[in-house]
Amino acid sequence: MSDSPVSYGKNGSIGVISINNPPVNALSQKVRQGISDALEESLGDNSKILLIMCKGRTFIAGADITELGKPPVPPHLPDIITRMENHPKPIVMALHGNALGGGLELAMAGHYRCAIPGTKLGLPEVKLGLLPGAGGTQRLPRLVGPENALDMIVSGNPINAEKALKMGLIDHLLDEDIEKSAIAYANQLIQSNSDVRPTGKISVTTPSNSNLFSEYRNRVARKTRGQIAPDFIIKLVELACSSDIIAGQEKEREYFLECRSSPQSAALRHVFFAERATSKLPDIPSDTQPRDISSAGVIGAGTMGGGIAMCFANAGIPVKLIDTDSDAVARGMQIIEKNYANSMKRGRFTQEKVDAAMSCITASTEFESLKEADIVIEAVFENMAVKEKVFSQMDEVCKKGAILASNTSYLDIDQLADSTNRAKDVIGSHFFSPANVMKLLEIVRATRTAPDVVQTLIKLSRKIGKVPVAVGLCHGFVGNRMLKGYGRQAQLLLLEGASPQQIDSVMEGWGLAMGPLAVSDLAGLDIGYRSRRDQGLVSGELPEFALPDALVELDRLGQKSSAGYYQYDKETRARQIDPEVEALLKDIAARFEITRQTISEEVILDRLLLALVNEGTRILEEGIATRPSDIDIVYLNGYGFPAWRGGPMFHADTVGLDTVVEKITALYNSTQDDFWKPSKLLENLVEKGDTLSSLNNK
Ligand code: 3H9
């Protein structure tokens, strides 16, 4: 029996090519070979039409991403696609599930396309740092026009079959029973003597706006900053308007190969697998049954609590939002309503969706109303005594088996578990602000947390649209612990001579969504100030806190008071350099006997990024993170790190660990600062000539 994932057989006059390559029918070498063989075989029989369809849950979801980093093995997809388009018998493509990337490119080379309702069609290559490399940039504009093609390929977002029908990307909507209705459709085409219809021969409609491409480039410039693929895509769609398919595909191939070998694509492919790996924990069997979560409770109706409640409501999970008095609850509900109104204004939500979500949220001042909830998350003031009291109340009220979670950013979950009689049901669920928007959820495993509770949180995260990363217990967990060293370096660089604007611009130029000082201004400088006082630190005593302490004492709390590290325009929130901050910096530097001098871009990048790398590898050493790629996912989804850089750990590999250790050692030698002692893990990896990525396969 052949082990090919592709089979060919006859159904009356129809030659049926059937692909079966679970889980997503990716176009592996074997699949390509199988399709190529089947096309050949069909030439020699009396079939009148060919039908290509897939077994399992989806049509082809694209090229096999695991093959993209390796030397390509024939037959190559673009060659198969050209053969299909030039095939003498009409080819019908029947789609279900997802027709993505190379899958949609293959479909567009067929002569007729049909799909069951709800099928997703898209060219998501840009999300992998690529562009469609098998004719997608040339055929999509021919089928749907250059405007729609630009939107689909530059965003990488799929459209559904219903929209695809309207746009002309498919010809026919099938019934749910794909096999039966696709055969019926193919027979219909035979009866109407439908002929081959090569997509490559269609001329692209001239754009109605003669400035389409330059305007489009400007429109997406901010979003695609630093990435190479989007600009290539725009050029290729423009080329499709003026050249034939052969010339267009030649250029496409050239740009595709450049993207495929770029560090950006390597980084984004790493991210693709890293995101999926976070759900797999080596010490928790994958068949561990999660607990059922049909209802939830959130304690604390502030910004965080409200945002968390919205996450449940958006996923259709009824949630009780609790606070101590009716004013606090009313304020919380008002913030939620305002957030939803903003989402509607931006077109992210419809009125219907908002109504459905709001109907899931019930506000109350009664703790008792939490007694039926399957999970309760506390999001009260960040103070151990306050949280301990809340946990003991939760323990009293909540039903047996309910999960008790804390949204703390720093505190010891073990200590919170001690205030209950159910330590195994206690866990940390660290959302990031704004909780209804930010994708990251750090799931903090305390010493006694039961495995099924961890599994439940992982599954729940995916359900409420979050990317879960399970982490161990330490001050600040993974993200904020790493941020501490990073923030400290930013402060020291300021005293040594850099300006807030310089530091932020360098980091933003490198790809971060916001530089460290702009982020602090956005979050509010008073939060850190209060926490330092709670920890007993004297204001202005340590150089790394002297400036933020001084700013808060001058009532410069950040964006909310229109002044912090910068001055902010009250209307537009645009930031401006503030001479007062420069003067403060001079005074503080003099007080600590630091000579201010010119700081280079390279020094800023090195100090900030290496701080993340050194602390990240200490976190790995201590087993707080499961694998380096989990740390990358934390930084990408919680801290605005650019995905196309792969994350701080991937970046370290890109630089080379020997260079990393050399630079960190030089920083230690010049500062004698213990923070800059290279982590043991880094030293060991360099000694063995290994990479951090080698630790990802856990
Ligand atoms: C391309 O096509 C280039 C061409 O233009 C040019 C050629 C010349 N390859 O996401 P899930 C694995 S580039 C290999 O959890 P879902 C995935 O790792 C490609 N593996 O399921 C996971 O493995 P595991 C363009 C793949 O239902 C398992 O399948 N296409 C691929 O939540 C299940 O995946 C894309 O970028 C692949 N292409 O979502 C589409 N896809 O179980 C990428 C998935 O071991 N794929 N796997 O962790 C997706 O977006 C989602 O997987 C999909 C299903 C929406 C299809």
Side-chain angles (χ1 to χ4, degrees):
M1 222 177 86
S2 148
D3 71 340
S4 171
V6 181
S7 62
Y8 178 70
K10 293 280 300 298
N11 184 319
S13 298
I14 308 169
V16 182
I17 300 177
S18 179
I19 300 164
N20 186 11
N21 185 31
V24 297
N25 287 310
L27 284 161
S28 64
Q29 192 278 337
K30 276 189 173 176
V31 171
R32 297 196 302 275
Q33 187 63 59
I35 297 173
S36 173
D37 293 346
L39 289 174
E40 193 61 34
E41 192 178 340
S42 70
L43 287 173
D45 66 19
N46 62 355
S47 56
K48 292 192 175 145
I49 202 166
L50 301 184
L51 172 64
I52 300 187
M53 56 203 298
C54 289
K55 298 274 182 213
R57 60 179 160 122
T58 181
F59 187 73
I60 298 163
D64 186 333
I65 301 169
T66 59
E67 287 182 2
L68 287 172
K70 305 173 190 159
V73 182
H76 304 299
L77 190 58
D79 298 336
I80 296 177
I81 280 180
T82 304
R83 276 178 59 202
M84 273 175 63
E85 190 163 83
N86 297 331
H87 203 279
K89 300 180 187 183
I91 303 180
V92 183
M93 312 296 297
L95 320 177
H96 73 293
N98 294 284
L100 301 177
L104 182 58
E105 291 178 294
L106 195 86
M108 289 191 290
H111 305 117
Y112 298 89
R113 280 161 297 282
C114 54
I116 66 167
T119 305
K120 296 263 167 57
L121 297 89
L123 293 173
E125 285 87 344
V126 71
K127 297 185 181 180
L128 297 169
L130 297 169
L131 49 90
T137 64
Q138 302 305 298
R139 285 192 183 83
L140 192 61
R142 285 176 160 78
L143 289 167
V144 302
E147 292 88 349
N148 289 330
L150 277 176
D151 281 343
M152 280 180 73
I153 316 178
V154 174
S155 75
N157 294 332
I159 57 170
N160 62 27
E162 291 77 355
K163 192 164 175 190
L165 182 68
K166 278 196 198 131
M167 274 189 193
L169 181 51
I170 62 171
D171 306 291
H172 179 70
L173 264 188
L174 298 170
D175 297 337
E176 288 295 338
D177 183 345
I178 181 166
E179 265 191 69
K180 215 166 133 194
S181 56
I183 294 280
Y185 178 56
N187 276 323
Q188 218 176 298
L189 289 169
I190 294 175
Q191 267 159 27
S192 57
N193 287 324
S194 301
D195 204 354
V196 295
R197 268 188 342 179
T199 308
K201 297 250 163 75
I202 301 171
S203 310
V204 182
T205 50
T206 312
S208 50
N209 171 4
S210 57
N211 297 322
L212 171 70
F213 296 100
S214 57
E215 282 176 12
Y216 199 86
R217 212 168 258 120
N218 291 339
R219 181 139 61 89
V220 298
R222 207 178 124 73
K223 227 174 162 184
T224 59
R225 181 167 50 107
Q227 299 175 57
I228 59 171
D231 192 50
F232 281 153
I233 292 168
I234 298 172
K235 281 188 181 135
L236 287 165
V237 175
E238 192 167 8
L239 183 66
C241 297
S242 60
S243 82
D244 64 25
I245 186 95
I246 297 173
Q249 272 191 217
E250 240 170 58
K251 202 66 184 162
E252 180 189 78
R253 188 80 193 145
E254 181 191 322
Y255 288 160
F256 175 76
L257 292 177
E258 192 172 331
C259 288
R260 197 182 63 179
S261 59
S262 70
Q264 294 192 359
S265 179
L268 286 163
R269 290 186 324 249
H270 156 77
V271 171
F272 178 83
F273 291 111
E275 271 185 357
R276 283 152 181 85
T278 63
S279 304
K280 298 165 192 158
L281 296 175
D283 63 331
I284 299 189
S286 56
D287 58 359
T288 304
Q289 256 328 96
R291 297 184 192 177
D292 179 43
I293 304 291
S294 314
S295 63
V298 176
I299 303 174
T303 314
M304 231 24 219
I308 298 170
M310 286 172 76
C311 296
F312 284 105
N314 293 344
I317 301 172
V319 55
K320 293 243 156 58
L321 182 63
I322 306 291
D323 213 314
T324 42
D325 62 70
S326 46
D327 280 354
V329 166
R331 265 196 314 274
M333 288 305 283
Q334 269 167 14
I335 295 174
I336 292 176
E337 279 161 16
K338 203 169 133 205
N339 284 344
Y340 278 129
N342 280 338
S343 298
M344 278 205 304
K345 243 193 247 157
R346 290 203 197 105
R348 283 181 53 220
F349 282 170
T350 59
Q351 182 70 54
E352 208 182 351
K353 168 118 186 139
V354 170
D355 291 346
M358 283 304 292
S359 73
C360 287
I361 307 178
T362 324
S364 169
T365 53
E366 301 295 321
F367 244 84
E368 274 294 305
S369 65
L370 295 173
K371 65 175 192 272
E372 289 310 318
D374 297 314
I375 182 169
V376 178
I377 299 178
E378 71 72 18
V380 300
F381 188 60
E382 187 79 349
N383 172 285
M384 184 52 96
V386 175
K387 289 198 190 265
E388 276 178 326
K389 189 162 167 241
V390 169
F391 263 80
S392 117
Q393 282 173 299
M394 280 153 84
D395 187 34
E396 243 168 61
V397 168
C398 294
K399 68 181 179 190
K400 194 165 164 267
I403 294 175
L404 310 186
S406 171
N407 180 50
T408 177
S409 321
Y410 290 96
L411 299 177
D412 183 353
I413 314 279
D414 276 346
Q415 200 176 326
L416 293 177
D418 285 341
S419 22
T420 73
N421 292 305
R422 48 169 111 185
K424 65 180 181 29
D425 297 338
V426 174
I427 193 163
S429 59
H430 181 205
F431 288 77
F432 288 70
S433 186
N436 54 315
V437 176
M438 296 296 284
K439 286 270 171 225
L440 178 63
L441 183 60
E442 269 186 334
I443 297 172
V444 190
R445 302 173 65 175
T447 314
R448 290 156 289 173
T449 309
D452 69 329
V453 172
V454 180
Q455 190 80 330
T456 307
L457 266 281
I458 288 178
K459 197 173 159 217
L460 177 65
S461 307
R462 301 275 184 205
K463 187 162 180 193
I464 62 175
K466 301 290 171 207
V467 180
V469 180
V471 301
L473 207 50
C474 65
H475 189 72
F477 318 127
V478 168
N480 284 345
R481 175 169 155 185
M482 285 167 67
L483 198 66
K484 194 174 159 199
Y486 168 87
R488 180 166 167 263
Q489 288 309 312
Q491 292 298 331
L492 296 179
L493 284 163
L494 286 175
L495 298 186
E496 288 164 34
S499 68
Q501 175 71 12
Q502 190 193 2
I503 295 178
D504 285 340
S505 305
V506 166
M507 298 316 288
E508 288 159 11
W510 192 78
L512 260 83
M514 278 174 111
L517 304 156
V519 168
S520 301
D521 270 355
L522 181 67
L525 303 184
D526 48 330
I527 301 169
Y529 183 87
R530 265 203 313 270
S531 145
R532 290 192 289 281
R533 300 301 79 84
D534 283 352
Q535 290 167 50
L537 291 174
V538 176
S539 170
E541 197 171 58
L542 291 174
E544 62 261 41
F545 299 130
L547 179 63
D549 281 346
L551 290 172
V552 172
E553 284 161 13
L554 288 168
D555 260 342
R556 301 182 62 117
L557 309 183
Q559 282 202 19
K560 61 182 153 192
S561 60
S562 299
Y565 290 101
Y566 299 94
Q567 244 173 37
Y568 291 90
D569 184 290
K570 284 201 171 74
E571 295 291 307
T572 63
R573 291 201 195 168
R575 69 186 190 210
Q576 267 171 26
I577 299 169
D578 191 339
E580 195 176 336
V581 175
E582 192 59 23
L584 269 176
L585 273 173
K586 276 193 188 137
D587 285 354
I588 296 168
R591 181 149 59 84
F592 286 100
E593 296 176 2
I594 297 169
T595 313
R596 300 192 84 224
Q597 54 193 319
T598 308
I599 307 275
S600 72
E601 180 171 328
E602 191 192 346
V603 166
I604 293 173
L605 274 178
D606 274 355
R607 294 259 297 268
L608 295 190
L609 294 173
L610 292 173
L612 291 178
V613 172
N614 208 25
E615 194 63 16
T617 50
R618 284 191 192 115
I619 282 172
L620 281 167
E621 221 170 80
E622 293 167 26
I624 301 291
T626 305
R627 45 181 92 78
S629 63
D630 281 5
I631 296 182
D632 289 337
I633 294 304
V634 166
Y635 263 75
L636 262 43
N637 292 285
Y639 296 86
F641 209 91
W644 53 272
R645 298 272 190 193
M649 301 292 106
F650 185 85
H651 172 69
D653 273 352
T654 311
V655 170
L657 295 190
D658 43 357
T659 307
V660 164
V661 170
E662 216 173 89
K663 287 187 171 189
I664 291 179
T665 308
L667 283 164
Y668 177 66
N669 290 339
S670 64
T671 59
Q672 293 301 304
D673 179 347
D674 277 352
F675 177 81
W676 286 124
K677 277 191 183 147
S679 75
K680 285 272 159 297
L681 178 67
L682 273 176
E683 287 185 329
N684 289 343
L685 288 170
V686 169
E687 208 175 291
K688 287 193 262 169
D690 235 332
T691 57
L692 281 160
S693 301
S694 68
L695 306 177
N696 281 336
N697 304 324
K698 274 193 182 181

